[in-house]
Structure formats: structure tokens, C-alpha cells
Amino acid sequence: MSTPRIDINLSKIAHNTKVLSSLFRSKKVDVIAVTKGVCAHPQIANILVKNGIKILADSRISNIKKMRDAGVKAIFLLIRTPMISQSESVVLDTDMSLNSELSVIKKLSEFAILHDRVHKIILMVELGDLREGIMPSQLENTIEKVLRLKGVELTGIGTNLACFSGVTPTEKKMELLSSIATSIEKKFDIKLTMISGGNSANYNWFRTTKDVGRINNLRLGESIFLGYEPLTGKPIPKLHQDAFMLVAEVIELKNKSSVPDGEIGLDAFGNKPKFKDQGMIRRAILAMGVQDVMVTGLTPKLDIEILGAGGDHIVINAKKESLKVGSNVSFTLKYGALVTAMNSSYIFKNIISPLSAKEYCAIVEEKDRLHKKKTAIIPVQEDHTPLISLQDSDFNLIFEKSIQKNYRYLVRKEVFEKIGRISKLLDNQGKKLIIRSAWRSFEHQQKLWDQKTSFLKKKYPKKTVQEIDKIVSNFIASKGLSTHSTGGAVDALIYDLRKKCVLDFGTNDGLYIDLNEKCYPKHPDISEEAKKNRKLLIKLFEDEDFVCDHKEYWHFDFGNINWAVENNMEYANYGILEESFVQSAALNYPDKVFFYL
Ligand SMILES: *Cc1c(COP(=O)(O)O)cnc(C)c1O
């Protein structure tokens, strides 16, 4: 995919929006979402609206127009005090605006009358940050005049702190705004419907205050998009900090000195650069620079150090990270970096949108079709790794009862060791690995097929034999095609020792699994709990180099054709071990280890 790019994860933005909205709603404070930080990207705006935001705010009319033209359905608030020269456009293109100048409000009134509209205004009050706002002592004077104007409707008052001077929105400041609201209502016998207390920096005040007073609205940008509280730079609990990720590509990687060679003058930006002597280092150059993004607002995901940047380059110390020319390097962004990256025409905006269940299943099935084609032709170079019974281990395992008599839960030696390490990790979490199935003979596989077929026949008496076969084949391989006959496949679940039950994986009732599309590992329509549990199970196995089946979250392969195809190997190491071989090996080697000869 093209670089440099910004990966925009819409599900994470949706999550942050929902969490913050419900938090603020708990004390009857509404959230306006501020879109300036993402250049009013219409798909992002739509996600905000879809997740309950009614009012979208931006500092620029052009951004509001962009959202309107893209069909975003919201009330639009202009949050930068309007330019008097744009008054007509403010009235025509926005629904409401924050204001602090009477001369501008008069113009808004004129154009509103001309176009037969009513424009809503919120008067900003200066509470110490020294950016926009009417001095509290002048407020009544201004309101008296505003109330006489036609075409404009005074909807409320607001304030903005923590921007120009970093003044903290304290309890005292918010109480002051509340008392101003109340005294205005009394004096003019009006009702102010919106008392807008500030921006993302109001988070800590909100969390700690016992009484929000008259404040019933906040305007949030940074905290929704980046999950941070801006005054302290601390992550807000339960929010994603990586809904946006910037990705750049390595174009040079060499061992070079950490200090330059020669007399030092001014750099490309007229500054005298300073260097820390770290001896020889691995220096990588990324194809991205200050012309693309505010580099000082980037935080690398890897353990690397940004040494400096020019218009088109970022130079990093790659330290011990395994980078090479062509590698992608990812960064999370601070607000300044987000704004510049979203505004840069050089950076590709890569929207990652949540898939619907239908889309996801279609992708899985297509992948599976392709995968099956490849597994049909991939060669096997049998490496004769022996089979061992997991029952002969001292690992903490639970064995699910099998329909096969005297079932031994055989796996290849390497798989055996991997299962040992996985079970240890679970021991430390108060959990236990359940082994449902391991090596299976053809006869065993056929039994499973027949059992499922007769179960489904009873459940759906109207379905034809072909229809039943199709459902069964989705989840049970016909004999000879199952990777369970290689000794490299394991079916596993997890038991919670504290709760004394099998974890919830979304389609199971204890050990019983209902076979349907929701068994596809990343199906979107399962509960958050089930998603978390599947993640845990799959990560345990993937960290041991297994691959998870496309359609069954409990099935893992190593060394066999499924594994080889997923890893783009030239051949698989584990071929099919037929019953007769395993039987005769068992006779020849009664000491628990079964060899395939
Ligand atoms: C930018 C801005 C906001 C949003 O600030 P965040 O820190 O991104 O939440 C709110 N109000 C006004 C007036 C702004 O200019």
C-alpha cells in the first residue's frame, strides 16, 4: 500500500466517540464533535454522526461546506469567530457560530434578514486564556444589543480555555461561567439553551466535579480522535490512542556516525543543529518530512529515535529494530501532527472501515477458496518428526472426550513442545488449555462427518443431502483432506479455573460449538467478551508459529499444508500419517513415542 499514508481506523474513532459521549451524558453534558483536526474528512464526520453526535463544529467554512456537500447530516457550528468579510457565507453555509464581535453579529443579522434565515449564535466569554471572548464586564452590554437584532438568535454562551495560554478549566472557572449564565437569564428574562464549557481539556474538571452547574455542552476534538487529555498529555482510560497511525517507508539504511563530519553552520531551517555522540549508529532515512507533517508531534511505535528532519526526510536511529530498505515505520500522532498529516496532499488517507458480517464472510470464503487451491498442489517433504501423545505429558491440559475409542491425542513432537509452553502461559492466568482433538485417523474423521450429517438431517429435515453435505463440508473436512491426519493440527479452547467454565468464544456453550459463520475467527457480530477470548486463544498459538484456520477459531496448524500455504513456504514438513503406519509404529515403539517411518 502506498506510503507515506495515514491509517484511519473508523471503528476506533467510533469507540472513542461512544465512550466519551456516554461519559459526559452521565452528567447531562452534550458533546459537539470538532472536525478541524481531521480536515473535516467526510467519512470520519459520518462515523461521528452515526455514533450519536448531533452537532459538528469546524473552524473553517470550507470544511463545513465539504461535509455538507458530501451529504453529512448534522447541525454545523462555526467555532472560529467569523470574519466579517465572510458574514454572508456564515449565514448561508452554517447553522450556528461562536461570536465575540458585535460588528460581525450585526452583519450576520443583516444577511440573515436578507436571506430570510435565522442564524444561531453563541457568545464567547473571556475567562483568562486570552484568545476569543467578550470581557465578562462587557457581556450584558453586548447582549442587550444582540437581543434587539433580527435574524440572529442568542442560543447560549461559551468559553474556551487551555488553548492560547494553556489556562486550566478549573471548578472556579466553570462556576463563573455558570453564574454568568444564570445572571444573564435573570436580567434579560431569557433562557440560554447552550452553556458550552470548553474543549477536551475540560475532561479532568468533568471527572472530578461534583456538580457541573449550568455547563451542558463541550466541544471535543483531540480526545475523540487521539484519546488523550491535552493538558497533561495522559491517555484517557478506555479510549484508543491509535485510531490514527502515520506510516512512512525506509529509503536508506546505513551504519554512519552519530555526529557529522565538518564545520557546522546553519541547517536547512536556519537553526544551528546539535548532536549527541553515540558513536556509529544504524541510521535510516524515511521518505517523509516537515513538508508532510509536523515531525515533532510523532511518536514511533518501534524502539527507534528521531534524530531530525528536513522538508522531505526524517532521519532516525534504527537502534536494534530489524528494518531494511522498503520497511514501513509507524507513528502515533499528537494533535499538531494529526492536523498537518490530514491536511497534507502528499499523505494518502487510508480509511480502515469496519466490515459488515456479510463483507467479512465473503472475504473469508474467497480466501479459503484460494487457500484450498494452493493446499491441493503444495508438495510435502515429510521430515519424520515423531508423534507423541499429549496424554503422556505433565502439562496442565483438559482433554475433551472423543467419539473415537481409546483416543490418544497424538501430535508431532514440535507441536507437543509448543502446547507445553502455551499451557504454562495459561497456568499463570488461572486458565487451562482444553485439547479437543489432535491426530485423527481416516476412520475417526469419517465418524465425525457422519455424526454431523445425521445431526443436521434431524435439525433440518427439509434440506437435501447435497445441502447438508455443503454445510458439513464448511466445518469438517472429508477424510483424507483433514490436516488432523498430519499430527500438526490441534483443536483447542480455554477453561477459566476461577469462573469454572469454558471461556465464551461466541458460538460455544461450554464445550459444545454451534457450527455457523460466526465461527470465522474475526466475525464482527460476536460480543466484545468473545472477541477478547478469541484474541487470547489465537495469540497464544500464533506466538508459537501456528496458523489459525480461516473458518474455525479453535483449529490451529503447524508444519502441515495449511501452515505451509499460509506462510508461503515451498513445501510442508508434515504429511498425512495413516492409521496403519501409526498402529505399526505403536507396536514397534511401545515407549510412548510413535515414529512415522
Ligand atoms: C479547536 C477548538 C475546540 C476543540 O478543541 P480540542 O482540544 O480538540 O477538544 C473547541 N472549541 C474551540 C473554540 C476550538 O477552537
Side-chain angles (χ1 to χ4, degrees), residues 115-385:
H115 293 288
D116 197 21
R117 302 211 174 185
V118 175
H119 184 75
K120 295 186 169 171
I121 63 170
I122 292 155
L123 288 179
M124 295 301 275
V125 186
E126 167 61 55
L127 290 185
D129 200 56
L130 299 175
R131 203 176 72 183
E132 72 275 33
I134 300 163
M135 295 308 292
S137 57
Q138 296 299 310
L139 194 60
E140 290 189 355
N141 191 5
T142 308
I143 288 178
E144 198 179 334
K145 293 184 173 114
V146 168
L147 290 176
R148 280 196 228 124
L149 297 171
K150 294 217 162 58
V152 291
E153 181 187 309
L154 180 63
T155 301
I157 61 171
T159 194
N160 196 62
L161 297 168
C163 270
F164 187 73
S165 316
V167 169
T168 307
T170 54
E171 186 81 30
K172 224 168 143 194
K173 298 279 183 197
M174 291 301 107
E175 275 171 7
L176 180 56
L177 189 66
S178 284
S179 70
I180 290 172
T182 304
S183 81
I184 286 167
E185 286 181 340
K186 225 185 218 154
K187 167 140 184 147
F188 296 101
D189 193 22
I190 53 170
K191 176 93 186 103
L192 296 172
T193 49
M194 187 188 287
I195 317 295
S196 190
N199 51 47
S200 295
N202 282 56
Y203 175 81
N204 280 332
W205 157 75
F206 179 85
R207 287 305 307 269
T208 51
T209 188
K210 286 203 189 70
D211 181 5
V212 294
R214 297 291 315 275
I215 313 297
N216 62 7
N217 177 280
L218 291 173
R219 311 171 304 271
L220 308 182
E222 184 163 1
S223 50
I224 294 178
F225 298 126
L226 298 178
Y228 281 99
E229 191 287 304
L231 281 175
T232 58
K234 284 204 183 120
I236 295 175
K238 296 200 195 131
L239 297 193
H240 295 291
Q241 281 77 43
D242 58 355
F244 295 84
M245 292 284 281
L246 195 61
V247 183
E249 187 175 320
V250 176
I251 52 172
E252 187 193 288
L253 179 77
K254 293 186 193 307
N255 289 326
K256 292 186 188 177
S257 168
S258 51
V259 286
D261 176 23
E263 285 168 38
I264 308 296
L266 298 182
D267 68 9
F269 300 105
N271 304 315
K272 187 137 189 164
K274 282 201 186 76
F275 304 93
K276 196 166 66 193
D277 191 351
Q278 312 177 61
M280 291 293 280
I281 53 173
R282 290 175 72 226
R283 294 174 81 99
I285 302 178
L286 308 179
M288 183 166 74
V290 297
Q291 206 179 159
D292 305 287
V293 63
M294 186 195 269
V295 175
T296 49
L298 298 181
T299 312
K301 290 295 278 181
L302 297 173
D303 179 27
I304 59 175
E305 182 194 354
I306 297 176
L307 297 170
D312 306 301
H313 304 87
I314 296 175
V315 180
I316 62 167
N317 178 355
K319 297 192 186 167
K320 294 198 178 99
E321 295 290 352
S322 61
L323 295 175
K324 54 180 197 269
V325 170
S327 294
N328 282 346
V329 178
S330 300
F331 300 88
T332 54
L333 305 94
K334 302 228 169 75
Y335 200 59
L338 177 67
V339 178
T340 48
M342 288 303 291
N343 197 30
S344 169
S345 58
Y346 300 110
I347 293 179
F348 173 62
K349 316 294 182 299
N350 178 33
I351 297 276
I352 303 166
S353 53
L355 292 174
S356 69
K358 217 173 136 198
E359 288 166 322
Y360 169 73
C361 292
I363 289 171
V364 169
E365 272 144 33
E366 182 54 31
K367 249 198 196 159
D368 198 56
R369 255 193 300 278
L370 225 101
H371 180 88
K372 286 215 170 81
K373 269 190 188 168
K374 291 187 190 162
T375 53
I377 53 167
I378 191 160
V380 178
Q381 292 191 14
E382 175 58 59
D383 73 0
H384 304 289
T385 314

Side-chain angles (χ1 to χ4, degrees), residues 18 80 84-85 116 153 167 175 223 305 315 350 400 402 410 436 446 450 503 521 526 546:
K18 277 187 282 192
R80 184 171 65 186
I84 197 162
S85 62
D116 197 21
E153 181 187 309
V167 169
E175 275 171 7
S223 50
E305 182 194 354
V315 180
N350 178 33
E400 183 179 335
S402 173
L410 298 171
R436 311 187 60 212
Q446 187 66 44
D450 294 345
L503 291 185
I526 57 171
F546 284 90

